Amino acid sequence: ISVLAGLLFSVGADTAVGSFAFPGLVFGTMPAIAVPLAVWCLPARAQAAEGLGGWRHLFTRARGTTAASLAASAVVCEALNPILARQLLPLGFSIPQVGLYFAAICFSYTLAAPVCGFLVDRGQSEGRSEYSRLKLLMVYGWAMSMGAHALLGPLSLAAGAPVARSLLAVPLLGASAALLIVPSLPDMQEGLHPDDETGRATVCAAWNGIYSFGSALGPLLSSSLFASIGFCGTCTCLMAIGATAAVMLGARARNDDTSRPASNALTTTLQPDTVQVCAQHLLTHIL
């Protein structure tokens, strides 16, 4: 998508709508075609499943911690979109190359997501509950995210090889997004009964809504910060968000280890479609 956007921007100069509007026109037409096709492919009637424990059991501290991290990850993942190009262009990147840069981030996510899925679907670690392990995976994701933003922001002030540092941040951004997003949905489904389809559907809906809210907030926050404190300061603020989320997840994971035995009657085997849903969602929103 990023590569196509750059090409459409270049081609748009020769159209009546101009370079900036032409990619938006093309991408805006795509959902207008896709939505009717999707509606047409839906089954005529979906069978509703009744939850086993009521909606109140969905609101727990552990689930709220993961939801907060998910919102923060959406903010951080989307925050670079409106400002990163302005940082890359002075380094000699052309507009199509900027598109390739964003595409490489997404490609790095695509490569990292199956590895994260394998880690998520593994059995319980020895002496550690399954859901605390998922939170620790997200902590590692935040560490990688902070490293990537340090390369783009504070470390960019160091002498020598700014292009190399920018390129080194690409796999870190993609892999960190996978570690932050892929474990989040199964972690938010903590404790749900395997037959509680309504509860799982509610959690999935909340998961999408939380990420979408963060996706909308990220560009607004980063553009405001960029206007007041510049790109380096913005990256530092994003690192601070990541550090806060990592500490919060780490504390919750430690609490899970001390308050809940490793084997829990309500924990269930993670479904294969969990990783698929996460991957489809992030591929839609990360760029």
Side-chain angles (χ1 to χ4, degrees):
I1 294 176
S2 297
V3 176
L4 181 59
L7 295 175
L8 291 174
F9 186 89
S10 301
V11 174
D14 299 326
T15 65
V17 296
S19 297
F20 184 79
F22 185 66
L25 178 64
V26 173
F27 290 132
T29 305
M30 290 181 179
I33 298 173
V35 170
L37 289 175
V39 173
W40 181 74
C41 293
L42 288 174
R45 183 178 181 181
Q47 184 177 0
E50 184 178 357
L52 299 179
W55 59 269
R56 291 180 181 84
H57 76 292
L58 300 177
F59 297 95
T60 64
R61 291 182 180 179
R63 193 167 288 119
T65 301
T66 304
S69 173
L70 177 64
S73 66
V75 169
V76 172
C77 286
E78 302 295 335
L80 291 178
N81 288 347
I83 62 174
L84 183 55
R86 295 191 60 177
Q87 182 72 8
L88 296 177
L89 290 174
L91 298 179
F93 287 79
S94 66
I95 291 177
Q97 287 173 337
V98 171
L100 284 171
Y101 188 93
F102 280 95
I105 295 174
C106 191
F107 182 69
S108 300
Y109 171 86
T110 304
L111 294 178
V115 178
C116 295
F118 171 76
L119 296 174
V120 167
D121 286 336
R122 284 185 60 185
Q124 294 176 347
S125 299
E126 183 178 351
R128 186 175 295 279
S129 71
E130 178 180 3
Y131 295 103
S132 66
R133 179 172 51 82
L134 296 180
K135 289 182 174 62
L136 289 178
L137 284 176
M138 289 182 273
V139 171
Y140 298 146
W142 279 119
M144 295 180 69
S145 175
M146 287 186 286
H149 286 87
L151 289 171
L152 292 172
L155 292 181
S156 66
L157 301 178
V163 174
R165 283 193 293 269
S166 298
L167 294 176
L168 182 59
V170 168
L172 292 177
L173 289 171
S176 65
L179 283 168
L180 290 171
I181 302 301
V182 172
S184 61
L185 178 57
D187 192 52
M188 287 183 66
Q189 292 176 335
E190 172 189 359
L192 294 179
H193 194 279
D195 294 330
D196 189 0
E197 296 183 9
T198 299
R200 292 180 180 278
T202 302
V203 169
C204 286
W207 183 83
N208 279 280
I210 291 167
Y211 192 92
S212 297
F213 173 77
S215 298
L217 183 61
L220 295 175
L221 176 65
S222 64
S223 57
S224 299
L225 290 173
F226 183 83
S228 57
I229 59 177
F231 185 83
C232 181
T234 301
C235 287
T236 303
C237 290
L238 296 178
M239 292 170 62
I241 293 174
T244 302
V247 170
M248 181 175 59
L249 286 168
R252 188 67 223 180
R254 182 175 181 180
N255 183 73
D256 287 349
D257 282 343
T258 57
S259 64
R260 181 174 54 231
S263 110
N264 189 330
L266 288 180
T267 59
T268 62
T269 302
L270 300 178
Q271 300 299 320
D273 61 345
T274 295
V275 178
Q276 180 182 359
V277 171
C278 292
Q280 291 174 346
H281 179 79
L282 189 60
L283 286 175
T284 303
H285 288 85
I286 191 171
L287 297 178

Coordinates of all heavy atoms in Angstrom, one line a residue, residues 81-114:
N81 N 3.3 8.3 11.2 CA 2.8 8.5 9.9 C 2.8 9.9 9.3 O 3.2 10.1 8.2 CB 1.4 7.9 9.8 CG 1.3 6.4 9.8 OD1 2.4 5.7 9.7 ND2 0.2 5.8 10.0
P82 N 2.3 10.9 10.1 CA 2.3 12.2 9.5 C 3.6 13.0 9.6 O 3.8 14.0 9.0 CB 1.2 12.9 10.4 CG 1.3 12.3 11.7 CD 1.6 10.8 11.4
I83 N 4.6 12.5 10.3 CA 5.8 13.3 10.6 C 7.1 12.6 10.1 O 8.1 13.3 9.9 CB 6.0 13.6 12.1 CG1 6.1 12.3 12.9 CG2 4.8 14.4 12.6 CD1 6.4 12.6 14.4
L84 N 7.1 11.3 9.9 CA 8.3 10.6 9.5 C 8.8 11.0 8.2 O 10.1 11.1 7.9 CB 8.1 9.1 9.6 CG 9.4 8.2 9.4 CD1 10.5 8.6 10.3 CD2 9.1 6.7 9.5
A85 N 7.9 11.2 7.2 CA 8.3 11.5 5.9 C 9.1 12.8 5.9 O 10.1 13.0 5.1 CB 7.1 11.7 5.0
R86 N 8.7 13.8 6.7 CA 9.4 15.1 6.8 C 10.8 14.9 7.3 O 11.7 15.7 7.1 CB 8.6 16.1 7.6 CG 7.3 16.5 7.0 CD 6.7 17.6 7.7 NE 7.5 18.8 7.7 CZ 7.2 20.0 8.2 NH1 6.0 20.1 8.8 NH2 8.0 21.0 8.1
Q87 N 11.0 13.9 8.1 CA 12.4 13.6 8.6 C 13.2 12.9 7.6 O 14.5 13.0 7.6 CB 12.2 12.7 9.9 CG 13.5 12.4 10.6 CD 14.1 13.6 11.3 OE1 13.5 14.7 11.4 NE2 15.3 13.5 11.8
L88 N 12.6 12.0 6.8 CA 13.4 11.2 5.8 C 13.7 12.0 4.6 O 14.8 11.8 4.0 CB 12.6 10.0 5.4 CG 12.3 9.0 6.5 CD1 11.4 7.8 6.0 CD2 13.6 8.4 7.1
L89 N 12.9 12.9 4.1 CA 13.1 13.6 2.9 C 14.4 14.4 2.9 O 15.2 14.4 2.0 CB 12.0 14.6 2.6 CG 10.7 13.8 2.1 CD1 9.5 14.8 2.0 CD2 10.9 13.1 0.8
P90 N 14.8 15.2 4.0 CA 16.0 15.9 4.1 C 17.3 14.9 4.1 O 18.4 15.4 3.8 CB 16.0 16.6 5.4 CG 14.5 16.8 5.7 CD 13.9 15.5 5.2
L91 N 17.1 13.7 4.4 CA 18.2 12.7 4.3 C 18.4 12.2 2.9 O 19.4 11.4 2.7 CB 17.9 11.5 5.2 CG 17.7 11.8 6.7 CD1 17.4 10.6 7.5 CD2 18.9 12.5 7.3
G92 N 17.6 12.6 1.9 CA 17.8 12.2 0.6 C 16.9 11.2 0.1 O 17.0 10.7 -1.1
F93 N 15.9 10.8 0.9 CA 14.8 9.9 0.4 C 13.9 10.6 -0.6 O 13.5 11.7 -0.3 CB 14.0 9.3 1.6 CG 14.8 8.3 2.5 CD1 15.7 8.8 3.4 CD2 14.5 7.0 2.3 CE1 16.4 7.9 4.2 CE2 15.2 6.1 3.1 CZ 16.1 6.5 4.1
S94 N 13.5 9.9 -1.7 CA 12.5 10.4 -2.5 C 11.1 9.9 -2.0 O 11.1 9.1 -1.1 CB 12.7 9.9 -4.0 OG 12.5 8.5 -4.0
I95 N 10.1 10.5 -2.6 CA 8.7 10.1 -2.1 C 8.5 8.6 -2.3 O 8.0 7.9 -1.4 CB 7.6 11.0 -2.8 CG1 7.8 12.4 -2.3 CG2 6.2 10.4 -2.5 CD1 6.8 13.4 -2.9
P96 N 8.8 8.0 -3.5 CA 8.6 6.5 -3.6 C 9.5 5.8 -2.6 O 9.1 4.7 -2.1 CB 9.0 6.3 -5.0 CG 8.8 7.5 -5.8 CD 9.1 8.6 -4.8
Q97 N 10.7 6.3 -2.3 CA 11.5 5.6 -1.3 C 10.9 5.7 0.1 O 11.1 4.8 0.9 CB 12.9 6.2 -1.4 CG 13.7 5.8 -2.6 CD 15.0 6.5 -2.7 OE1 15.2 7.6 -2.1 NE2 16.0 6.0 -3.4
V98 N 10.3 6.8 0.4 CA 9.6 6.9 1.7 C 8.4 5.9 1.7 O 8.2 5.2 2.8 CB 9.0 8.3 1.9 CG1 8.1 8.4 3.1 CG2 10.1 9.3 2.0
G99 N 7.7 5.7 0.6 CA 6.7 4.6 0.5 C 7.3 3.3 0.7 O 6.8 2.4 1.5
L100 N 8.5 3.0 0.1 CA 9.2 1.7 0.4 C 9.6 1.6 1.8 O 9.6 0.5 2.4 CB 10.4 1.7 -0.5 CG 10.2 1.4 -2.0 CD1 11.5 1.5 -2.8 CD2 9.6 0.0 -2.2
Y101 N 10.0 2.7 2.5 CA 10.4 2.6 3.9 C 9.2 2.1 4.7 O 9.4 1.2 5.6 CB 10.8 4.0 4.3 CG 11.5 4.1 5.7 CD1 12.8 4.0 5.8 CD2 10.7 4.2 6.8 CE1 13.4 4.1 7.1 CE2 11.3 4.3 8.1 CZ 12.6 4.2 8.2 OH 13.2 4.3 9.4
F102 N 8.0 2.7 4.5 CA 6.9 2.3 5.3 C 6.5 0.9 4.9 O 6.0 0.1 5.8 CB 5.7 3.3 5.0 CG 5.8 4.5 5.9 CD1 6.3 5.7 5.3 CD2 5.3 4.6 7.1 CE1 6.4 6.8 6.0 CE2 5.4 5.7 7.9 CZ 5.9 6.9 7.3
A103 N 6.6 0.5 3.6 CA 6.3 -0.9 3.2 C 7.3 -1.8 3.9 O 6.9 -3.0 4.3 CB 6.4 -1.0 1.7
A104 N 8.5 -1.5 4.1 CA 9.5 -2.3 4.7 C 9.1 -2.6 6.2 O 9.3 -3.7 6.7 CB 10.9 -1.8 4.6
I105 N 8.6 -1.5 6.8 CA 8.1 -1.7 8.2 C 7.0 -2.8 8.3 O 7.0 -3.7 9.1 CB 7.6 -0.4 8.8 CG1 8.8 0.6 8.9 CG2 7.0 -0.6 10.2 CD1 8.3 2.0 9.3
C106 N 6.1 -2.6 7.3 CA 5.0 -3.6 7.3 C 5.5 -5.0 6.9 O 5.0 -6.0 7.5 CB 3.9 -3.1 6.3 SG 2.4 -4.0 6.3
F107 N 6.4 -5.1 6.0 CA 7.0 -6.4 5.7 C 7.7 -7.0 6.9 O 7.6 -8.2 7.1 CB 7.9 -6.2 4.5 CG 8.5 -7.5 4.0 CD1 7.7 -8.4 3.3 CD2 9.9 -7.8 4.2 CE1 8.3 -9.6 2.9 CE2 10.4 -9.0 3.7 CZ 9.6 -9.9 3.1
S108 N 8.4 -6.2 7.6 CA 9.1 -6.7 8.8 C 8.0 -7.2 9.8 O 8.3 -8.3 10.5 CB 9.9 -5.6 9.5 OG 10.9 -5.1 8.6
Y109 N 6.9 -6.5 9.9 CA 5.8 -7.1 10.8 C 5.3 -8.4 10.2 O 5.1 -9.3 11.0 CB 4.7 -6.1 10.8 CG 3.5 -6.6 11.5 CD1 3.3 -6.5 12.9 CD2 2.5 -7.2 10.8 CE1 2.2 -7.1 13.5 CE2 1.4 -7.8 11.4 CZ 1.2 -7.7 12.7 OH 0.1 -8.2 13.4
T110 N 5.2 -8.5 8.9 CA 4.7 -9.8 8.3 C 5.6 -10.9 8.6 O 5.1 -12.0 8.9 CB 4.5 -9.6 6.8 OG1 3.7 -8.5 6.5 CG2 3.9 -10.8 6.2
L111 N 6.9 -10.7 8.6 CA 7.9 -11.7 8.9 C 7.9 -12.1 10.4 O 8.0 -13.2 10.8 CB 9.3 -11.3 8.5 CG 9.5 -11.2 7.0 CD1 10.9 -10.7 6.7 CD2 9.2 -12.5 6.3
A112 N 7.7 -11.1 11.3 CA 7.8 -11.3 12.7 C 6.5 -11.9 13.3 O 6.5 -12.6 14.3 CB 8.1 -10.0 13.4
A113 N 5.3 -11.6 12.6 CA 4.0 -12.0 13.2 C 3.9 -13.6 13.4 O 3.5 -14.0 14.4 CB 2.9 -11.5 12.3
P114 N 4.4 -14.4 12.4 CA 4.3 -15.8 12.6 C 5.2 -16.3 13.8 O 4.8 -17.2 14.5 CB 4.8 -16.4 11.3 CG 4.6 -15.3 10.3 CD 4.8 -14.1 11.0

